[in-house]
Amino acid sequence: MNILAIETSCDETAAAVVYYANGTFDVRSNVVSSQVALHAQYGGVVPNLAAREHEKNIVPVLREAMTTAAMTPDAIDLIAVTHGPGLIPALIVGVSAAKTLSWVWHKPLIGIHHIEGHIYAHMLTTHTRSAFPLLALVVSGGHTQLVLMHNHFQYNIIGQTLDDAVGEAFDKVARMLGLPYPGGPAIATAARRHSTKYPTNTADVAPDLPRPMLHSKDYNFSFSGIKTAVLYSIKDFCTHHALAPDTPLPQDFVDAMSYAFQEAVTEVLVKKTIRAAQEYNTKTITLAGGVSANTRLRTRLAESIKKNIPHAAYIIPDFTYCLDNAAMIAAAAALRYEHMSDDAHTALTQTYRTLDASAILSMTSLQ
Ligand code: KG4
Ligand code: ZN
């Protein structure tokens, strides 16, 4: 089947055409128009500005996705759209476009949960061979969760953050250090600079930061303590070096702090993921969400799985599918469709009348 998918939950306007048959995906087009440069001036996403950009870009992005895939409307079998969670003004643009196309082209329409898309992103490259139980470490700008799945679309959230999402913590710490938005890639680059500069004593010349909840018996996380520790370290540094407020911090200090922050966060994420994978005897471990693009997290988790649970498969999304994109929405939609009853398929022909964008939406398991 050919799926046309749309994603506008935050600051990327995205559309993709994906062909799916017999457990295999072929991404025919995957267009992402990023608004990062626009929002960077404000240090974060401005919802109404995002909506206006989506409104401007949605038709050109859809056209490009269809043209690149050499697709005609009649060859589309299913339309999929992210309907939450996210910024309402942004979501509404994608949902309205999808509802209109579904109505005009007489195609079934399916609403997909944004995080479900992130979880299914790794299947775009590995197809559907991921064995269950599957454990997904979800790390995005709005979510940090450990999701255990015993089958397709059966979600059990065994742990989550009690305060900031990990991507949000990256963004906030970056801002404290004077690094640009989005903070994740900026911190990763600064941390790499530190390791390159001090290849033999990398950790010794970086500050010590706490590892909150590392030893708690549950699978929950907390990142606000690390963030506060960074803030106090910056204050101490400024006092000690008599730096006036708003003076840019020296690069050596920024790099060392970025390294320390990234190490603290990845250690907690990796250790808890490994412990959960051991307890639940998971066969597949995956990463999902924007922070899954973090190379240090990807490799630390790989090393730890190899050492502690070598029988488990570690399957993570290609870099292309880590950040927000519509191909991942198509992947989740294709598999959801495949697991639905005939009655449910028929109901999708009427979704264009009822689908709503929702800022807070829970992931629903398929009945
Ligand atoms: O999944 P995503 O694109 O949007 C949401 O669904 O929230 O995730 C965005 C988050 C941002 O907080 C960004 O700083 C973070 O992912 N991020 C990274 C990296 N690339 C993006 N964090 C750490 N390292 C990266 N390389
Ligand atoms: Zn996302």
Side-chain angles (χ1 to χ4, degrees), residues 114 118 140-142 167-168 170-171 182-185 188 289-291 293-294 322-324:
H114 181 73
H118 276 304
S140 74
E168 188 184 355
F170 265 97
D171 294 338
V291 185
N294 186 279
C322 287
L323 301 182
D324 291 350

Side-chain angles (χ1 to χ4, degrees), residues 17-195:
V17 175
V18 175
Y19 175 74
Y20 173 71
N22 307 321
T24 303
F25 292 99
D26 181 13
V27 179
R28 301 261 160 102
S29 63
N30 185 32
V31 182
V32 181
S33 167
S34 176
Q35 306 172 9
V36 160
L38 173 75
H39 297 289
Q41 308 165 46
Y42 304 94
V45 181
V46 184
N48 283 347
L49 268 187
R52 198 183 302 177
E53 283 300 295
H54 284 312
E55 196 268 332
K56 200 158 72 188
N57 295 331
I58 189 73
V59 171
V61 164
L62 275 163
R63 283 184 84 108
E64 192 182 330
M66 292 291 280
T67 312
T68 307
M71 193 59 52
T72 55
D74 53 306
I76 295 290
D77 300 297
L78 177 66
I79 297 172
V81 65
T82 306
H83 67 125
L87 307 169
I88 275 290
L91 285 163
I92 283 174
V93 178
V95 169
S96 305
K99 285 164 88 166
T100 308
L101 291 177
S102 165
W103 174 53
V104 174
W105 291 350
H106 304 287
K107 303 292 176 184
L109 169 67
I110 187 166
I112 295 292
H113 189 285
H114 181 73
I115 296 301
E116 181 166 281
H118 276 304
I119 292 175
Y120 276 85
H122 74 284
M123 294 197 188
L124 282 166
T125 30
T126 62
H127 317 310
T128 51
R129 281 169 309 189
S130 312
F132 295 98
L134 179 151
L135 183 67
L137 172 62
V138 176
V139 279
S140 74
H143 290 74
T144 303
Q145 297 175 328
L146 271 167
V147 181
L148 179 69
M149 296 168 68
H150 279 100
N151 211 331
H152 278 295
F153 307 104
Q154 302 300 321
Y155 302 114
N156 181 9
I157 297 169
I158 58 169
Q160 56 194 320
T161 182
L162 303 179
D163 39 61
D164 290 350
V166 66
E168 188 184 355
F170 265 97
D171 294 338
K172 286 179 178 167
V173 166
R175 197 197 287 218
M176 289 178 204
L177 292 170
L179 293 169
Y181 174 86
I187 287 200
T189 306
R192 203 169 308 120
R193 228 168 14 227
H194 178 78
S195 344

Side-chain angles (χ1 to χ4, degrees), residues 221-351:
F221 303 97
S222 166
F223 299 106
S224 69
I226 310 184
K227 201 182 61 188
T228 311
V230 172
L231 183 67
Y232 283 118
S233 298
I234 295 173
K235 280 192 173 153
D236 286 351
F237 181 88
C238 290
T239 310
H240 192 250
H241 291 86
L243 285 182
D246 297 332
T247 314
L249 295 161
Q251 193 179 71
D252 236 27
F253 175 79
V254 171
D255 293 352
M257 189 59 81
S258 297
Y259 170 84
F261 172 75
Q262 185 174 262
E263 289 306 296
V265 166
T266 48
E267 183 176 342
V268 179
L269 290 171
V270 168
K271 290 217 165 127
K272 289 218 151 171
T273 304
I274 296 292
R275 198 151 53 71
Q278 285 169 326
E279 180 179 340
Y280 293 98
N281 219 350
T282 55
K283 293 204 173 112
T284 306
I285 298 160
T286 189
L287 278 175
V291 185
S292 70
N294 186 279
T295 310
R296 184 70 176 138
L297 175 61
R298 288 164 86 97
T299 48
R300 270 191 93 159
L301 188 54
E303 285 160 10
S304 194
I305 291 170
K306 202 164 160 204
K307 185 166 157 223
N308 297 294
I309 27 176
H311 53 277
Y314 177 52
I315 307 178
I316 49 176
D318 277 359
F319 283 109
T320 328
Y321 306 124
C322 287
L323 301 182
D324 291 350
N325 66 89
M328 68 184 192
I329 302 302
L335 290 168
R336 240 186 201 267
Y337 191 87
E338 189 174 62
H339 289 80
M340 279 176 165
S341 65
D342 288 347
D343 283 353
H345 288 162
T346 308
L348 293 181
T349 61
Q350 300 305 308
T351 311

